[in-house]
Amino acid sequence: MALPVAFFAVFFAYPVAAIVGRGLKVDGAWQLGRVRDVLVASDIRHVLWFTTWQALASTALTLLIALPGAYVFARFDFPGRHVLRAVVTVPFVLPTVVVGTAFLALVGRGGLLDDLWGVRLDTTVWAILLAHVFFNYAVVVRTVGGLWAQLDPRQEEAARMLGASRSRAWRTVTLPALGPAVAAAALMVFLFTFTSFGVVQILGGPTFSTLEVEIYRQTSEVFDLSTAAVLTIVQFVAVGAILAVHAWTVRRRESALRLVDPAVTARRPRGAGQWTLLAGVVASIAVLLLLPLAVLVQRSLDTADFGYYRALTHDDGGTFLVPPIAAIGNSLEYAVAATAIAVVIGGLAAAALTRRDAGRLVRGFDALLMLPLGVSAVTVGFGFLISLDKPPLDLRSSWILVPLAQALVGVPFVVRTMLPVLRAVDGRLREAAAVLGASPWRVWREVDLPLVRRALLIAAGFAFAVSLGEFGATVFIARPDNPTLPVAVARLLSRPGDLNYGQAMALSTILMLVCAVALLVLERLRTDRTGEF
């Protein structure tokens, strides 16, 4: 645990504490009254209300649309099921900047709806809600559908044989077993939408602002660090409470009904009702998930001779110090370095958490590993700039700063992917190898590694995908001569002109394709034990 604890202490706790301290301290004295002043301000109360309201609405809408999909993937066996499953997961690993850009191309000025019917939704909250459904659809399908596929359908059939109607059997047998999984999925969707940044930044404009967007605005535009510090504390407390409830629901989920092999529960749809349900789910996936991506690609090609893509190779001397195409190489290099860091830190943490002699303090660290997913990435990024500026940690001009910030987001995915597999390794194998004289390193290399190699590759793939699309922290620390793809897209969208807009669509398409390829490789490696969120 030494290296993971040191990593999180130096590159997460210290930067967050530094920016909070910088904002709430004046001449060395804490100004706690500033907390009250900020929270009673009408504009801040409006931000808090909108953040909570849109997260609740996004969660409810996502559950309403995605639960039928979870049932279809869990219980139906149909041609193209595995490919469609991979397609459904693509939006989850896409950077939020790409998601926002895709919906901007669909519902914004000059978008598909604007061209066909003169309808624009980019100035309404519906664009944000639909984008959140697009982003979180896979969370519900994977979390709820993964458990649903393992529930023994004969228990519900037994209830029907005893006289229960179909709805009552589902309500009294299946729903209680699915309850913890539904709650866990709802909490994760709420967490992701409560801390939404890229989607709201692009689609919300000046009208709508979440806590994360407001922290960014107060930090980079208004330069009011005290307000940003208070909002960071509020978000930290809220995220801690959400993660605590999530941990409780996961423990309940582990004690659900008897589980069976998912391969024996899926069957071909029967009757007109089931085929209609399948068609409806496929249609909703096509409209909500595939259409925005298709429009994004179409907009990037909306010029002769791939003009927007060719423009990426030229430096206009305004938005960037280098041609925008350089962001592709920068992003790949940063993501590879971040993946290596995340795999090392996350692998060590997962190995420590699976030890039988791990103390309560070590086990409690498991929950803390999830905090970077919910704590303001904007705060972390700006905290890097104001805290890692003195020897021996003067990293402001170092390229490693960006991979370190990206690795913070990748580590939780590595831990969550590797923990179930490491816990499944029979400890007697390790003990037998040790009795035969193998050193701890050799035991790991010859016993654990062959068993967890696939999970390790999947963990590395997820870390790579999320590192590639990290935006909140990177927007502060990426240098103008080394922009990443999400930062380049955001900067192009912030400038007027069709050429900038088209280049943003082209870069988003490239980023989407890279993430999709990474996900398809993951789906090929996936097993039923390691492939669920």
Side-chain angles (χ1 to χ4, degrees):
M1 289 297 296
L3 189 57
V5 169
F7 178 80
F8 273 84
V10 174
F11 298 113
F12 178 67
Y14 178 49
V16 172
I19 195 170
V20 171
R22 182 75 64 90
L24 295 183
K25 270 188 176 182
V26 177
D27 297 328
W30 289 96
Q31 304 296 315
L32 298 182
R34 181 60 180 161
V35 176
R36 182 190 65 253
D37 296 339
V38 170
L39 294 181
V40 299
S42 59
D43 55 336
I44 298 300
R45 283 191 283 112
H46 176 74
V47 169
L48 292 172
W49 165 248
F50 177 74
T51 300
T52 305
W53 176 86
Q54 64 83 25
L56 289 171
S58 297
T59 302
L61 192 60
T62 302
L63 290 175
L64 179 66
I65 295 175
L67 281 176
Y71 173 78
V72 164
F73 282 104
R75 293 304 197 199
F76 291 171
D77 184 16
F78 54 90
R81 176 172 171 238
H82 295 294
V83 174
L84 192 61
R85 178 189 174 97
V87 169
V88 163
T89 315
V90 166
F92 180 77
V93 300
L94 284 180
T96 55
V97 172
V98 174
V99 175
T101 308
F103 273 82
L104 196 63
L106 179 64
V107 303
R109 176 181 58 83
L112 181 64
L113 296 185
D114 191 15
D115 288 346
L116 293 179
W117 299 296
V119 176
R120 288 181 57 187
L121 298 178
D122 58 323
T123 56
T124 71
V125 72
W126 280 106
I128 296 174
L129 297 182
L130 291 175
H132 284 161
V133 173
F134 170 91
F135 187 76
N136 293 290
Y137 187 96
V139 176
V140 177
V141 169
R142 293 278 186 162
T143 304
V144 180
L147 178 61
W148 210 334
Q150 293 178 280
L151 292 181
D152 192 345
R154 292 173 296 184
Q155 297 179 87
E156 188 174 324
E157 294 169 0
R160 295 197 63 194
M161 291 181 63
L162 294 174
S165 63
R166 182 184 296 274
S167 61
R168 185 180 181 186
W170 184 84
R171 190 173 64 252
T172 58
V173 177
T174 304
L175 183 59
L178 288 177
V182 173
L187 283 166
M188 290 305 295
V189 173
F190 183 84
L191 174 64
F192 290 140
T193 53
F194 187 84
T195 59
S196 181
F197 176 59
V199 167
V200 181
Q201 177 79 352
I202 292 175
L203 296 176
T207 307
F208 302 107
S209 179
T210 57
L211 267 174
E212 187 85 354
V213 174
E214 188 63 20
I215 292 171
Y216 173 76
R217 191 179 74 85
Q218 295 290 338
T219 303
S220 63
E221 298 177 10
V222 184
F223 303 108
D224 186 351
L225 289 186
S226 61
T227 299
V230 173
L231 296 181
T232 296
I233 294 172
V234 171
Q235 184 164 312
F236 187 86
V237 172
V239 168
I242 295 169
L243 291 177
V245 177
H246 180 265
W248 178 71
T249 59
V250 169
R251 286 196 297 271
R252 286 188 59 208
R253 178 182 173 184
E254 294 174 350
S255 60
L257 295 178
R258 180 169 58 89
L259 305 180
V260 297
D261 184 355
V264 304
T265 62
R267 53 180 173 77
R268 291 187 66 82
R270 300 173 184 172
Q274 293 188 356
W275 281 107
T276 301
L277 175 62
L278 175 59
V281 168
V282 172
S284 67
I285 291 173
V287 173
L288 285 174
L289 306 187
L290 296 183
L291 182 59
L293 299 180
V295 172
L296 176 66
V297 176
Q298 186 271 327
R299 291 301 185 204
S300 73
L301 298 172
D302 196 15
T303 185
D305 300 325
F306 300 96
Y308 293 142
Y309 289 90
R310 289 166 48 203
L312 295 176
T313 62
H314 303 296
D315 177 18
D316 63 359
T319 308
F320 306 101
L321 300 180
V322 294
I325 196 72
I328 300 174
N330 295 335
S331 289
L332 293 175
E333 292 173 2
Y334 288 145
V336 169
T339 300
I341 297 171
V343 168
V344 171
I345 300 299
L348 289 173
L353 292 169
T354 55
R355 288 181 62 89
R356 294 181 180 178
D357 56 349
R360 183 174 299 176
L361 184 62
V362 173
R363 291 193 297 269
F365 188 65
D366 185 16
L368 297 179
L369 292 172
M370 294 289 289
L371 281 178
L373 291 181
V375 173
S376 171
V378 171
T379 300
V380 174
F382 193 68
F384 270 30
L385 292 182
I386 67 173
S387 62
L388 304 179
D389 60 345
K390 297 177 182 178
L393 286 175
D394 188 0
L395 302 177
R396 287 175 301 174
S397 60
S398 174
W399 67 272
I400 196 64
L401 204 60
V402 173
L404 286 172
Q406 294 173 342
L408 281 172
V409 183
V411 167
F413 287 92
V414 174
V415 174
R416 295 269 74 80
T417 302
M418 294 191 63
L419 263 181
V421 181
L422 285 172
R423 285 172 175 164
V425 176
D426 192 341
R428 292 173 297 182
L429 295 175
R430 302 188 184 103
E431 295 168 1
V435 168
L436 293 174
S439 64
W441 167 246
R442 188 176 180 184
V443 170
W444 162 256
R445 189 176 69 248
E446 298 188 9
V447 176
D448 291 79
L449 185 58
L451 296 174
V452 303
R453 182 181 291 113
R454 179 168 293 182
L456 187 64
L457 292 173
I458 292 174
F462 269 119
F464 179 82
V466 299
S467 299
L468 198 66
E470 204 288 321
F471 175 60
T474 308
V475 71
F476 276 99
I477 56 182
R479 295 183 301 184
D481 58 338
N482 285 291
T484 63
L485 278 170
V487 172
V489 170
R491 289 179 182 172
L492 285 167
L493 286 175
S494 67
R495 299 192 68 192
D498 291 337
L499 181 60
N500 288 314
Y501 182 82
Q503 289 182 88
M505 297 295 163
L507 275 181
S508 296
T509 300
I510 293 172
L511 187 50
M512 177 191 70
L513 292 176
V514 174
C515 290
V517 169
L519 180 70
L520 290 174
V521 172
L522 290 183
E523 187 68 18
R524 190 173 185 84
L525 292 172
R526 186 188 63 84
T527 66
D528 287 328
R529 293 184 65 86
T530 61
E532 305 302 333
F533 291 129

